Amino acid sequence: MTTDSNKLQEEAVKILQDNWVQVDEGSGFTKPAADVYPYQWNWDSGFSAIGWRHIDIQRAMTEIETLFSGQWKNGFLPHVIFHIPSDNYFPNETFWQVQDTSDQAPEGMETSGMTQPPIHSISVWKVFETLEKTDSELALDWLELMYPKLLSLHTYLYRQRDQGNTGLITIYHPWESGMDNSPRWDTPLKNISIKEKALYERRDTGFVDARFRPSNANYDTYVYLAEKMREAGYDDEKLRQVHPFQVEDVFFSSVLHLANGYLLRIADTLNENTEEITTWQQRFRENINTRCQDRSNGLFYDRDLLSGKLLKENTIAAMSPLIGGDMNEEEVENLFDTLDEKLFCGEGSCRATLLPSTSLFSNKFTPDRYWRGPVWINTNWLMLDGLENAGADEYASGLRNNLINLLENHGIWEYYNPETLEGIGAEHFSWSAALAVDILTS
Ligand code: 2M8
């Protein structure tokens, strides 16, 4: 490792240690950032575990186990688990009221009532691989412990959220996508008329400059939609009938497809039956192009299920199949060529730079506002994993170097302005730290 890499590694480890919250003797989690995000977030924890495995394998296992202690009886994995009280964040457990609202909520656990991109089979497999090097028996025991929980999560998503049996997953709230205020959601959100505006106080803007966070108008709709989910008892059948936001999410579905590949490896290792997993993979492969791809430019889009229309916004999600990990090198090449044609980063520049959350050529592009332009480490890391799985080594190594350069030269932040590369949002952000460790160590 170079001196810069050593410095980055040390800083990243310190961030993860500082953000660790011990709940009780056997459980704990990494909060995403010190003040603004005090609880355990779903996909954040999956990423944190991927970093922890290189530093303290026990913590990596505890992180995942603690997250799954909030799993619902039907397999649903909430986007936030409230292990400890905090006044720093809205909405917290008093808003969601899951214990009074759903008979599927886990006994005695306070959680939210929506989910997030299901990366956890990836995390579990990677933790297993690291653990196996030092204790293969314990590694197998742990895989056995986690497998039914992961299977139950994937089964829930295909049973309850795959409305058309297409392998494409429906989300009911922009927060479920993980890319909260992305332009991807502008059109469906515009069609929602808020009947009665809730009285609430934002806490996030007390810790992060409001310029970098979603607008107040966005927040009103987020809170309204979350209230609607609560009113429907977080019940998928009911939501399907009445909910005003229902979108087939191409990124979420691609992450699940990537995760299926890892779940398959887990099932194989445990000599479990893999038939159902391969059926899910097949379903996705059969439908991703016909349902999501825009033939005119080769990019992939979400579909608004209420209007039936594709949501043609050029964001990082438009390249989601690269994450899915089973494109061949020619398909990867085609997608990158399409991007080069001034659709995304500008001619030629996609190979040399990192992918911003929204195309620099979109009229919605805002370099410093949350998911409307900034570069995020986790989405680029997912691309990297997908490209490596597809054997697209040239692109993968370019992306890897660019990630390391960004982190070494601009520090460990929640996101980065793609024009200036300045770090913005929350400082000392956990998944950026964890993935820095992973990239430096793997
Ligand atoms: C952001 O989302 C939360 C709501 O879940 C928020 O804005 O308050 C997103 O970036 C999401 O992807 C992430 O998991 C979460 C915590 O880091 O923050």
Side-chain angles (χ1 to χ4, degrees):
M1 268 201 225
T2 63
T3 321
D4 284 346
S5 302
N6 275 327
K7 229 176 93 212
L8 173 62
Q9 170 87 6
E10 265 171 38
E11 196 193 336
V13 171
K14 179 158 186 334
I15 288 173
L16 288 177
Q17 280 163 345
D18 290 348
N19 288 346
W20 179 259
V21 180
Q22 194 70 39
V23 178
D24 55 36
E25 210 190 316
S27 63
F29 66 94
T30 316
K31 58 186 166 188
D35 296 319
V36 61
Y37 305 118
Y39 307 116
Q40 184 169 32
W41 257 262
N42 172 318
W43 72 331
D44 298 64
S45 267
F47 290 122
S48 290
I50 288 170
W52 273 120
R53 74 190 168 123
H54 303 293
I55 309 162
D56 179 339
I57 193 77
Q58 185 53 54
R59 281 215 173 154
M61 293 153 75
T62 303
E63 175 97 51
I64 299 279
E65 287 169 36
T66 305
L67 178 69
F68 276 85
S69 69
Q71 186 169 33
W72 288 25
K73 294 169 196 150
N74 58 0
F76 170 87
L77 192 62
H79 97 299
V80 186
I81 324 270
F82 304 100
H83 300 284
I84 43 138
S86 169
D87 288 332
N88 282 12
Y89 191 82
F90 172 85
N92 66 12
E93 65 275 23
T94 53
F95 174 92
W96 297 101
Q97 300 168 17
V98 297
Q99 293 297 334
D100 298 335
T101 312
S102 172
D103 57 7
Q104 296 301 315
E107 300 294 324
M109 291 289 287
E110 292 295 349
T111 77
S112 74
M114 61 176 66
T115 191
Q116 267 189 335
I119 64 160
H120 314 88
S121 294
I122 310 170
S123 318
V124 167
W125 177 259
K126 288 185 185 278
V127 172
F128 164 77
E129 273 188 328
T130 307
L131 181 57
E132 202 190 15
K133 289 182 195 147
T134 53
D135 192 338
S136 55
E137 209 175 308
L138 180 62
L140 272 179
D141 287 349
W142 193 67
L143 215 52
E144 258 166 31
L145 172 75
M146 294 313 303
Y147 178 67
K149 301 178 201 293
L150 296 168
L151 186 64
S152 156
L153 169 62
H154 289 218
T155 305
Y156 159 80
L157 291 168
Y158 286 109
R159 192 185 54 226
Q160 303 287 14
R161 296 294 192 98
D162 182 4
Q163 292 199 18
N165 270 338
T166 52
L168 297 162
I169 302 298
T170 305
I171 57 163
Y172 293 117
H173 195 291
W175 283 347
E176 292 204 307
S177 73
M179 300 189 195
D180 309 6
N181 68 336
S182 169
R184 297 165 69 194
W185 320 126
D186 286 0
T187 302
L189 289 186
K190 222 172 13 198
N191 295 334
I192 293 169
S193 57
I194 300 178
K195 304 268 170 349
E196 203 176 317
K197 190 170 146 348
L199 285 177
Y200 68 95
E201 193 193 325
R202 282 182 76 164
R203 303 281 160 84
D204 56 323
T205 44
F207 303 105
V208 171
D209 192 326
R211 274 180 307 145
F212 304 146
R213 292 281 301 172
S215 66
N216 285 338
N218 272 150
Y219 247 79
D220 286 347
T221 323
Y222 299 154
V223 174
Y224 177 73
L225 284 175
E227 282 180 337
K228 289 272 148 212
M229 293 177 81
R230 189 180 61 206
E231 273 168 33
Y234 308 114
D235 179 281
D236 290 294
E237 306 294 329
K238 184 104 195 265
L239 285 165
R240 204 172 300 162
Q241 286 157 25
V242 301
H243 201 56
F245 182 98
Q246 302 190 40
V247 178
E248 227 169 54
D249 181 332
V250 68
F251 172 79
F252 191 116
S253 311
S254 300
V255 169
L256 181 57
H257 184 62
L258 173 64
N260 276 331
Y262 284 91
L263 190 63
L264 196 67
R265 292 188 212 178
I266 298 175
D268 271 337
T269 308
L270 297 174
N271 288 321
E272 295 283 348
N273 187 326
T274 55
E275 212 178 296
E276 196 169 29
I277 306 171
T278 47
T279 316
W280 294 330
Q281 290 182 309
Q282 197 53 29
R283 227 194 272 177
F284 176 87
R285 284 189 194 116
E286 276 165 13
N287 292 293
I288 176 77
N289 289 348
T290 48
R291 242 186 114 71
C292 305
Q293 194 175 31
D294 181 341
R295 299 265 168 222
S296 68
N297 61 16
L299 295 179
F300 293 80
Y301 297 119
D302 308 294
R303 187 177 293 275
D304 184 348
L305 289 172
L306 300 180
S307 70
K309 293 197 177 124
L310 277 188
L311 298 166
K312 297 189 181 179
E313 301 288 353
N314 289 348
T315 70
I316 193 164
M319 279 162 290
S320 293
L322 290 177
I323 291 172
D326 58 11
M327 292 180 107
N328 62 36
E329 226 182 309
E330 195 189 327
E331 288 167 324
V332 170
E333 186 82 37
N334 284 343
L335 202 46
F336 271 94
D337 283 348
T338 314
L339 298 175
D340 285 348
E341 286 162 14
K342 293 215 172 186
L343 272 169
F344 209 83
C345 309
E347 211 160 337
S349 61
C350 274
R351 279 162 218 218
T353 183
L354 291 161
L355 297 170
S357 45
T358 298
S359 161
L360 293 159
F361 295 95
S362 159
N363 57 10
K364 308 268 179 74
F365 172 75
T366 319
D368 51 9
R369 202 183 267 275
Y370 215 39
W371 289 95
R372 300 182 78 82
V375 166
W376 289 73
I377 300 295
N378 66 331
T379 45
N380 279 281
W381 182 91
L382 281 169
M383 288 284 169
L384 176 61
D385 200 64
L387 291 172
E388 278 174 351
N389 286 336
D393 298 338
E394 188 204 336
Y395 299 107
S397 72
L399 202 54
R400 175 179 285 273
N401 289 339
N402 293 335
L403 275 166
I404 293 176
N405 285 340
L406 178 72
L407 288 155
E408 280 180 0
N409 296 321
H410 299 274
I412 299 177
W413 289 82
E414 189 177 12
Y415 38 90
Y416 302 80
N417 179 322
E419 292 175 335
T420 62
L421 298 184
E422 181 199 0
I424 42 181
E427 205 180 353
H428 302 152
F429 193 68
S430 292
W431 81 37
S432 305
L435 298 176
V437 172
D438 188 60
I439 295 166
L440 290 173
T441 322
S442 298

